[in-house]
Amino acid sequence: MKDLYGSPGKVSGLLLRIGQCVFAAASIGVMVSASGFSSYTAFCYLIASMGLLVLWSFALACLDMHALRLRRDLRNHILVSLFVVGDWVTALLSLAAACSSAGVVVLFAKDTNLCRSQHLSCLRFQISISFAFISWFLLAVSSHVMFWLLASV
Amino acid sequence: MKDLYGSPGKVSGLLLRIGQCVFAAASIGVMVSASGFSSYTAFCYLIASMGLLVLWSFALACLDMHALRLRRDLRNHILVSLFVVGDWVTALLSLAAACSSAGVVVLFAKDTNLCRSQHLSCLRFQISISFAFISWFLLAVSSHVMFWLLASV
C-alpha cells in the first residue's frame, strides 16, 4: 500500500483523529450549553452523530498511538477496508446532522427571525454547527485517504 | 484503467446519469408545485442544488451517449480527474441541500406542528426531498466509481 499523509499508524493520521475528536466534543459541549436545544430533533441528532464521531475517532486514535509505539504497520487490506466503511458511515451521518442543523438555524435566524423574538441562543447553535463542520471536514480527509489506500492496492 | 460498473462511456454509466437527471428534475418539479416554498432558504437552496445536478448529469449523459455511439474510451486520466472533482462537488452540495431541507421539514412536521396549523404543503416538501436523496444516492455511486477508477491507475 502507498504511503500517504494521514494513513493509519502515522503521526499525521493520529493528528487528524485527535482533531476530529476535539472538534466533535467541542460541538457537543457548546450545543448542550445552549438552552432549549432539546426541543429540536435536528440538534439532538447533531449531538448523537457527534457522539458517534467522538467514539469512532477516539478508538482509531488509540489504535494509531498503539501502532506508533510498537512500530506496527496498520496498512493491511482487512483493517483498511474496516476503516473505510466506518469512516464513510460516520462522515455521512455527521455531514447530514451538521447540514440539517444548519438548515434549522438559517430558518430561525433569517427566514422567521425567531432568534430575536423567541430569545433562542442562536449564536451557540451556530458555533456548535461550525465545530461539527470542521470535525466532518477532518473526517472527510481521513475517509478519502483510506479509500485511496484501499483502491490503490 | 479498470472496467467497473458505472464507468464513463458505458451503458451502466449512462443509466446512472439519466437516473440522476430524472430524479433531480422531479425533485425540482414537486418543490416548485408546493405553495410557499420560496419563503424558506433551505428549499430554495435545494432547487438551486438540484438544478446544478441536472445540468452536470445531463452534460455527462450526452458525453456518455457520444462515446457509446462513436465507441470512444473516456477512461483517460485527465477526463476522469475532471469527472471526480465535478461529481464530488455536486454530490456534496446536493447532500447538504437535501439534509438541510429534511431538517426544516422535520421541524415543521414533528417539533412545531406547523404543517397542520399553517397549512403548509409538507407532503410535497417530503416527496421532493425523497427524490433529492435518491438523486444524490445515484450520484454518490458515480462519484465512488470515478474515484476508484482514478485511484486504481
Side-chain angles (χ1 to χ4, degrees), chain A residues 1 4 9-10 19 25 36 43 58 69-70 75 86 89 115 144 148:
Chain A
M1 283 190 175
L4 294 171
K10 306 208 72 172
F43 299 150
F58 183 73
R69 193 182 289 167
L70 301 182
R75 286 170 298 153
V89 170
C115 285
H144 275 85
W148 193 277

Side-chain angles (χ1 to χ4, degrees), chain A residues 40-41 88 99 107 111 147, chain B residues 40-41 88 99-100 107 111 147:
Chain A
Y40 304 103
T41 310
W88 279 99
C99 289
L107 182 87
D111 301 339
F147 195 70
Chain B
Y40 304 104
T41 310
W88 279 98
C99 290
S100 56
L107 182 87
D111 302 339
F147 196 70

Side-chain angles (χ1 to χ4, degrees), chain B residues 2-54:
Chain B
K2 286 181 183 171
D3 197 13
L4 295 170
Y5 174 86
S7 303
K10 305 208 74 172
V11 178
S12 50
L14 176 63
L15 289 177
L16 274 176
R17 297 293 173 191
I18 291 173
Q20 292 156 24
C21 247
V22 168
F23 281 106
S27 170
I28 295 175
V30 176
M31 184 56 86
V32 168
S33 74
S35 63
F37 81 92
S38 57
S39 313
Y40 304 104
T41 310
F43 299 151
C44 297
Y45 172 45
L46 183 76
I47 288 182
S49 166
M50 287 296 119
L52 178 71
L53 207 161
V54 167

Side-chain angles (χ1 to χ4, degrees), chain B:
Chain B
M1 281 188 177
K2 286 181 183 171
D3 197 13
L4 295 170
Y5 174 86
S7 303
K10 305 208 74 172
V11 178
S12 50
L14 176 63
L15 289 177
L16 274 176
R17 297 293 173 191
I18 291 173
Q20 292 156 24
C21 247
V22 168
F23 281 106
S27 170
I28 295 175
V30 176
M31 184 56 86
V32 168
S33 74
S35 63
F37 81 92
S38 57
S39 313
Y40 304 104
T41 310
F43 299 151
C44 297
Y45 172 45
L46 183 76
I47 288 182
S49 166
M50 287 296 119
L52 178 71
L53 207 161
V54 167
L55 289 177
W56 172 254
S57 296
F58 184 72
L60 289 205
C62 291
L63 203 65
D64 278 345
M65 270 191 277
H66 176 76
L68 277 170
R69 191 181 292 169
L70 301 184
R71 299 194 179 180
R72 288 262 173 89
D73 188 9
L74 291 177
R75 286 170 297 153
N76 73 60
H77 197 78
I78 297 170
L79 263 184
V80 172
S81 307
L82 192 76
F83 295 158
V84 165
V85 174
D87 268 350
W88 279 98
V89 170
T90 323
L92 275 182
L93 290 179
S94 54
L95 179 64
C99 290
S100 56
S101 301
V104 171
V105 163
V106 169
L107 182 87
F108 286 166
K110 193 165 167 277
D111 302 339
T112 58
N113 257 329
L114 273 179
C115 285
R116 285 184 195 168
S117 58
Q118 298 264 330
H119 300 293
L120 290 168
S121 33
C122 285
L123 184 66
R124 292 198 180 187
F125 294 154
Q126 285 165 352
I127 294 171
S128 167
I129 293 165
S130 309
F131 283 150
F133 272 114
I134 296 171
S135 182
W136 164 78
F137 178 76
L138 296 174
L139 185 59
V141 174
S142 290
S143 318
H144 275 86
V145 170
M146 295 292 175
F147 196 70
W148 193 276
L149 274 176
L150 189 68
S152 61
V153 171

